[in-house]
Amino acid sequence: AQTVTQSQPEMSVQEAETVTLSCTYDTSESDYYLFWYKQPPSRQMILVIRQEAYKQQNATENRFSVNFQKAAKSFSLKISDSQLGDAAMYFCAYRTQGGKLIFGQGTELSVKP
Amino acid sequence: DGGITQSPKYLFRKEGQNVTLSCEQNLNHDAMYWYRQDPGQGLRLIYYSQIVNDFQKGDIAEGYSVSREKKESFPLTVTSAQKNPTAFYLCASSWALYNEQFFGPGTRLTVL
């Protein structure tokens, strides 16, 4: 069975600085998708970025980018120029070939002004 | 506006009572999902439905039931058999199982 692990329950970053959130996963599937979701205090889940496993190029969305290491089964999220609005819980998720999403435990990010 | 609605936002029930959480979408999505979120844990899949009149158990289906009689609606019933029902419940939908899931605002259920 697939598992997703986020080893950092909490992280903190200074406004305008860069922070990296870690995620590792375990799977025997060769083709899959990985996601980072943001859950602000409103608790609405928002998709931040997605990565297709067959693509070697790391995905980027404005200030958000990933470091995808398929062999190491690692999928970290880098947030550049952190803003106060980035403060939230961040979840790493794996989508199985059957279409199911498996989530990590989450990392709570705080941004200091 | 297109989206997913869940009602109510907060729900309180006495222990031993069944309770039904509402989830409605007007995105014309075929697939719908129910997740449970507990403190310090990620979302866990309870049930999902690929199409009307069809649904499958997720990872933690015990003590829950669903129906999918209409494309836009996927209600979740938390039965008295669910041992620890107090949690935050999120509904999601997607065009199909392999497409991006969009989430509703969630319902916080507290069983007293």
Side-chain angles (χ1 to χ4, degrees), chain A residues 39 44 50 91 95 97 104, chain B residues 37 42 59 97-98 100 103:
Chain A
Q39 188 180 44
Q44 178 79 47
R50 70 168 65 84
F91 291 98
R95 190 170 76 199
Q97 290 182 351
Chain B
Q37 185 177 18
D59 299 320
L97 275 186
Y98 304 96
E100 177 185 345
F103 286 83

Side-chain angles (χ1 to χ4, degrees), chain B residues 39-70:
Chain B
Q41 296 191 38
L43 281 65
R44 292 181 291 168
L45 183 64
I46 303 172
Y47 267 98
Y48 63 101
S49 168
Q50 294 187 66
I51 200 167
V52 175
N53 293 322
D54 180 68
F55 50 82
Q56 306 294 329
K57 291 182 179 180
D59 299 320
I60 54 166
E62 185 176 352
Y64 300 97
S65 65
V66 294
S67 63
R68 187 84 188 277
E69 297 176 359
K70 297 187 295 182

